[in-house]
Amino acid sequence: MDRDQTDKDDEASAHERPTLKTLAFMTGLGVTTVSRALKDAPEIGAETRRRVQLVARQIGYRPNRAGVRLRTGKTNVISLVLNTEREIMSFVSDIIYGVSEVIADTPYHLIVTPYSRSQDPLDPVKYLVESGSADGVIISRTQPNDPRARYMLERGIPFATHGRTDMGLVHPYHDFDNYAFAAEAVRHLAGIGRRRLALVTPPVGLTYYGHTVNGFADALGEVGASEVPFNTVSIDQSIDQIRTRTAQLMRRDVRPDGFVSSAAAATLAIVAGIEDAGLKLGRDVDVVSKQSSELLHLFRRELLVVNEDFRLAGTELARAVLGWIGGGAPGSLQSVVKPGNVVSYSG
Amino acid sequence: MDRDQTDKDDEASAHERPTLKTLAFMTGLGVTTVSRALKDAPEIGAETRRRVQLVARQIGYRPNRAGVRLRTGKTNVISLVLNTEREIMSFVSDIIYGVSEVIADTPYHLIVTPYSRSQDPLDPVKYLVESGSADGVIISRTQPNDPRARYMLERGIPFATHGRTDMGLVHPYHDFDNYAFAAEAVRHLAGIGRRRLALVTPPVGLTYYGHTVNGFADALGEVGASEVPFNTVSIDQSIDQIRTRTAQLMRRDVRPDGFVSSAAAATLAIVAGIEDAGLKLGRDVDVVSKQSSELLHLFRRELLVVNEDFRLAGTELARAVLGWIGGGAPGSLQSVVKPGNVVSYSG
DNA sequence: TTGGCAATCTGTAACGTTTCAGTATATTGA
DNA sequence: TCAATATACTGAAACGTTACAGATTGCCAA
C-alpha cells in the first residue's frame, strides 16, 4: 500500500498505455499476481481473477509484445515466405487473406518475408530461424526434397508447406490434389471425344509437377488416349513463350485436340496460341484449366475449368502452423483438398 | 578483466545467438561501449569501433528486435493495411512486392493488417497506433476526407496513402493520375470516331472516383463528345452485375459507342455484356481500360489499354513512409505518376 | 498448542537493448 | 605544478513481461 516509488509514472500523465504495473496499482495487487490472474493461473483466487480481468478489459490493457517477446522468446508472429517474381493473376493475395482470416482473433501478426528468384530459397528461412523472428513459417513452391522443410525440422521451428514433400519426414502441409485434377481433366476430355492430349505442366522441380504428370499419364492409359509431348512448356514460363510454342505445336501434323493446363494465366496464352494457328476452341481443340478466380469463362465460353481455392489454402496452412505451435502432432495437421468437377459454361 | 560472473552463459554453450554481452566478452569491452561502437557514436575510439564492428560481422551479430523495441519503442515494422474483400485480379500482391523490394535492405519487416468490409476501416489503424505495433503505416482505398489519415496525423504516426486526400492536410502519398487517364481515354476514343461514351467508375467515395469522373467530363467537353449515363455501375460491383447492366445498356436505343473502364476485371464483364447484347468490340463499340497485368490483349485483341504499375506504387509508398520515419518533410514525399499512352494491340 | 500444508499473494531477477551519470586517463593551459 | 578539460570507456537503471523462490494467512490433524 505504500505509494512512495510509484509517483513518477502511472497516474496523472495524459494517457500512457496501461501496463501490468498500471493494473497492479489500480487493483492494489502485485504485478506478478496481475500477470497470473490474466492468464488464468490456478493459484489465483477466483474473485481476484475476475476483478483483475474486469479492470484490464475496462482500461483496454494489451500485453506489450516486446516485453513478452524479450522475456519468453515468443514472437506471436507467423511469417509467410514468398517468391517475389511477378506473375499474372497471382494467388498470393488469396493466401494472405486466408491466413489473415485465421489469425484475426489470435495475438498473431502476419509478416511477409520475400525472396527473389536469384536468391537461394533457403536464405529467407534461415534468416527467420536464426533471428528468431517468427513462431511459425509458411512456405510454398514446395519440392519433393525440400531443403527448407528439412532445415526447419532440424531446428525445430513449426512450419507448414503449401504442397507436399517426399522425404520420408512428417510435417504439416496443405495441398490441392493435382493428381486427381489432371486425371479428371483427361477423363473429361476423353469423354467428349478428345484423344490426343497435351499437358502444360507446373514448374519442373516442384512436388505438384510430379503429381500432375502422374495423374495425366495414368488417366491417359485408363481411357486409352495418347499424349502429345509438350514438355518444353510449363506454367512459369512467360505468356509470350507459351503462346508461341502452342502456336508452333498446333501447326504440326500431329497436333493435340485437347489441353490440360495447370494455371489460368498459361491458359490465356494457350488459347491465344491456338487461335494464332487458325484453330478454334471447342471445335478443333478443348482446354481444361485450373483457375483460382472465376474469370476464364469470361475469356472464352468454351473453356473447361476446375477451381482451386487459394483462400482455403491460406486458412488451412494457418491452422496447420498454429496447430503445431499449439503442440498438435505434425502428422495430424495435413490436408489435401480434392478438386471439384470440371465445369463447362457453354452448352 | 574479471571473469567471475560471466560463466553461466556466453561461452561453451552449443551456439546461442550472440548478444551485446557476447560481443563485450569477446572484445573485453563493456556492453555500453559495444552498443555505441556499433552505431558509430562519436565518443568511441576509431580503432575500438573498427574492432567491435569486425567481430560483430564475423560472428553474425544481429540486434535483438525485442530488446530494441522494448527499450526504444522502435518496432522496425511497417504495416500495410488491407481490405480483405476478395477481388478478381487483385493488385495487392504487386504492392506487397513493391514494398518488400524497398525494405529488403533495411531492418524493417512488413506486416499485413487486414480488415473486412463489415469493419470500420479506422479499426485496424487504431489498433496499430494504440498497440504501437508499427513505426509506419500504408493505407489504400483513400477518401477525400479520410478519417484514418486524420487520425494518424493527430497521433503523429508516419504513414502514406495510396491515393490522395483532400482535407487541406499534408501527408505523403502516391497516386496514379486518374484524371489524366480518363481524359486521355476519352480523347483516344474521340480520335477513332467514338462520340457517345460511358464511364465505369472507381468505387464511389474514394478520392480517385472524383479524379476519374472529372477527367472524363472535362475531356468530353474538350472533344465535344457526350456522356451516356452509366452511374449505377462501378468497379467494385460483382462481375455478374456489371455484365448484366452493360448488356441492358447496350440494348437501349441510345447506347454508348465507347467505354472507359477503371479496372481490368470490370472490363472483362463489360465486354461480356457487350457481346451478350449481340454487339461486337471494335466495330460497334470500343473500350479503353486500365490494367495492372498485361493480359487484356489476350482476352480481346481489340481492347485499348492503359497500364498502371502497382509494384511501382508499392515502392513509392514504402519510400514515402520510410522517408517520413527518417525525418523527411511529409510534403516532399508525395508522388503522382502519369499514365502511359493508350495502347492498341489490334491494327 | 503446534506443526504442517494448502491457498494466495509478493519481490526479485532476467530477457537485450539504450540512456544516464559517472570514472579513469591523458592532455592542455597558466 | 596543479587544476581544468577532453577522450574513451563503464556500471546501473529502465523498458514490460514471466519464472523462481519465497512470504503470509488460515485451517486442520495430532
Side-chain angles (χ1 to χ4, degrees):
Chain A
M1 292 299 163
D2 55 354
R3 54 171 48 79
D4 40 27
Q5 286 301 67
T6 31
D7 51 352
K8 195 180 65 197
D9 35 26
D10 286 339
E11 226 50 20
S13 72
H15 229 37
E16 300 285 307
R17 197 148 93 94
T19 70
L20 288 182
K21 208 159 136 199
T22 321
L23 283 179
F25 177 75
M26 295 179 74
T27 55
L29 297 162
V31 252
T32 306
T33 311
V34 173
S35 171
R36 287 177 140 135
L38 288 175
K39 46 175 53 79
D40 289 320
E43 63 264 71
I44 300 295
E47 193 200 309
T48 306
R49 192 196 341 270
R50 260 182 284 118
R51 201 157 59 86
V52 170
Q53 293 183 350
L54 175 70
V55 177
R57 214 172 319 112
Q58 288 293 334
I59 66 173
Y61 167 78
R62 304 247 142 228
N64 178 302
R65 314 191 111 233
V68 176
R69 180 164 171 177
L70 182 57
R71 179 62 235 241
T72 65
K74 179 129 214 277
T75 63
N76 282 310
V77 164
I78 299 293
S79 176
L80 178 61
V81 177
L82 288 180
N83 176 295
T84 61
E85 247 46 51
R86 193 174 177 298
E87 325 172 25
I88 281 184
M89 299 185 309
S90 157
F91 51 86
V92 319
S93 46
D94 288 316
I95 297 205
I96 289 175
Y97 294 153
V99 174
S100 298
E101 191 183 316
V102 172
I103 67 176
D105 24 47
T106 74
Y108 285 90
H109 282 179
L110 171 65
I111 90 175
V112 173
T113 308
Y115 67 98
S116 59
R117 187 153 294 176
S118 58
Q119 267 184 312
D120 183 346
L122 192 51
D123 286 350
V125 171
K126 263 189 174 151
Y127 165 77
L128 287 171
V129 173
E130 284 172 6
S131 66
S133 293
D135 297 334
V137 175
I138 297 174
I139 61 175
S140 59
R141 297 185 67 89
T142 309
Q143 305 179 4
N145 189 325
D146 200 298
R148 301 168 301 171
R150 194 182 295 280
Y151 177 83
M152 289 190 280
L153 273 172
E154 274 168 14
R155 309 301 292 262
I157 186 179
F159 67 97
T161 62
H162 188 202
R164 281 161 282 181
T165 57
D166 188 16
M167 313 183 285
L169 298 175
V170 42
H171 60 82
Y173 60 75
H174 173 79
D175 206 355
F176 180 83
D177 190 342
N178 286 285
Y179 179 95
F181 156 70
E184 268 310 310
V186 167
R187 286 189 205 104
H188 189 97
L189 288 169
I192 57 177
R194 300 306 185 182
R195 281 286 166 271
R196 298 181 310 281
L197 309 183
L199 175 65
V200 182
T201 70
V204 182
L206 305 193
T207 311
Y208 83 110
Y209 169 87
H211 295 158
T212 308
V213 167
N214 289 339
F216 183 76
D218 289 356
L220 276 185
E222 176 189 321
V223 301
S226 68
E227 171 170 12
V228 178
F230 196 33
N231 299 323
T232 48
V233 171
S234 78
I235 59 169
D236 57 351
Q237 287 177 278
S238 80
I239 294 288
D240 285 343
Q241 271 185 316
I242 302 180
R243 178 176 185 167
T244 313
R245 299 259 169 85
T246 305
Q248 286 168 357
L249 180 70
M250 296 309 285
R251 287 193 180 103
R252 291 222 278 269
D253 290 342
V254 191
R255 54 174 167 77
D257 57 5
F259 278 90
V260 177
S261 165
S262 291
T267 303
L268 300 182
I270 291 165
V271 172
I274 289 171
E275 295 175 351
D276 288 346
L279 300 173
K280 192 167 166 355
L281 197 64
R283 186 190 63 194
D284 307 306
V285 58
D286 274 300
V287 178
V288 177
S289 174
K290 269 206 300 189
Q291 69 173 358
S292 58
S293 308
E294 299 266 347
L295 75 78
L296 286 179
H297 64 285
L298 293 168
F299 178 61
R300 293 292 183 272
R301 192 163 90 255
E302 297 82 7
L303 282 169
L304 305 163
V305 303
V306 174
N307 292 300
E308 176 170 5
D309 187 345
F310 283 100
R311 185 158 192 153
L312 173 69
T315 61
E316 288 296 306
L317 287 166
R319 268 193 254 279
V321 217
L322 292 187
W324 198 359
I325 292 174
S332 69
L333 299 163
Q334 306 172 331
S335 60
V336 175
V337 59
K338 290 273 170 215
N341 289 328
V342 175
V343 194
S344 161
Y345 289 92
S346 51
Chain B
M1 296 303 159
D2 54 353
R3 53 171 51 76
D4 39 26
Q5 287 300 66
T6 32
D7 50 352
K8 195 179 64 198
D9 36 24
D10 286 339
E11 227 51 20
S13 74
H15 230 37
E16 300 287 305
R17 215 176 136 215
T19 70
L20 287 182
K21 208 160 137 198
T22 321
L23 283 178
F25 178 74
M26 295 180 74
T27 55
L29 297 162
V31 257
T32 306
T33 310
V34 172
S35 171
R36 287 177 142 136
L38 288 176
K39 47 175 53 80
D40 289 320
E43 64 265 69
I44 300 296
E47 193 201 311
T48 306
R49 191 196 339 271
R50 258 182 285 117
R51 202 157 59 88
V52 170
Q53 294 184 348
L54 174 70
V55 177
R57 215 173 316 114
Q58 288 292 333
I59 65 174
Y61 168 78
R62 304 247 140 228
N64 178 303
R65 314 190 111 233
V68 176
R69 182 164 168 177
L70 183 56
R71 178 64 233 241
T72 65
K74 179 127 212 272
T75 63
N76 282 311
V77 163
I78 300 292
S79 175
L80 179 60
V81 178
L82 287 180
N83 177 294
T84 61
E85 246 46 51
R86 195 175 175 295
E87 326 172 24
I88 280 184
M89 298 185 310
S90 158
F91 50 87
V92 319
S93 47
D94 289 316
I95 297 205
I96 289 174
Y97 293 154
V99 174
S100 297
E101 191 184 316
V102 172
I103 67 176
D105 24 48
T106 73
Y108 285 91
H109 282 179
L110 171 66
I111 88 175
V112 173
T113 308
Y115 67 99
S116 60
R117 189 155 292 177
S118 58
Q119 268 185 310
D120 184 345
L122 192 52
D123 286 351
V125 171
K126 264 188 173 150
Y127 165 76
L128 287 170
V129 173
E130 283 172 6
S131 66
S133 293
D135 297 334
V137 176
I138 297 174
I139 61 175
S140 59
R141 296 186 67 89
T142 309
Q143 304 179 3
N145 189 326
D146 200 300
R148 301 168 300 173
R150 194 182 295 281
Y151 177 83
M152 288 190 280
L153 273 171
E154 274 167 13
R155 308 301 291 264
I157 186 179
F159 67 97
T161 62
H162 188 202
R164 282 161 280 182
T165 57
D166 187 17
M167 313 183 284
L169 298 176
V170 41
H171 61 81
Y173 61 75
H174 173 78
D175 205 356
F176 180 83
D177 190 342
N178 286 285
Y179 179 96
F181 156 69
E184 268 310 310
V186 168
R187 286 188 206 107
H188 189 96
L189 288 170
I192 56 177
R194 301 304 183 182
R195 282 285 165 269
R196 298 182 310 281
L197 309 183
L199 174 66
V200 182
T201 70
V204 182
L206 305 194
T207 311
Y208 83 109
Y209 170 86
H211 294 158
T212 308
V213 167
N214 289 340
F216 184 75
D218 289 355
L220 276 185
E222 176 190 320
V223 302
S226 69
E227 172 171 14
V228 178
F230 197 33
N231 300 324
T232 48
V233 172
S234 78
I235 59 170
D236 56 352
Q237 288 177 278
S238 80
I239 294 290
D240 286 342
Q241 272 185 315
I242 302 180
R243 179 177 183 167
T244 313
R245 299 259 168 85
T246 305
Q248 286 169 356
L249 181 69
M250 297 310 285
R251 288 194 180 102
R252 290 222 279 269
D253 291 340
V254 192
R255 55 174 166 76
D257 57 4
F259 279 90
V260 176
S261 166
S262 292
T267 303
L268 300 182
I270 291 166
V271 171
I274 289 171
E275 295 175 352
D276 287 346
L279 300 172
K280 190 166 169 357
L281 197 64
R283 185 192 63 193
D284 307 306
V285 59
D286 274 298
V287 178
V288 177
S289 174
K290 268 206 299 190
Q291 71 173 357
S292 58
S293 307
E294 301 265 348
L295 75 79
L296 286 178
H297 65 285
L298 293 169
F299 178 61
R300 293 291 183 273
R301 193 163 90 253
E302 298 82 5
L303 282 169
L304 305 163
V305 302
V306 173
N307 292 300
E308 175 169 6
D309 186 346
F310 283 100
R311 185 159 191 152
L312 173 69
T315 61
E316 288 295 307
L317 287 166
R319 269 193 253 279
V321 217
L322 292 188
W324 198 359
I325 292 174
S332 69
L333 298 164
Q334 306 172 329
S335 60
V336 176
V337 58
K338 291 272 170 215
N341 289 328
V342 176
V343 194
S344 161
Y345 288 92
S346 50

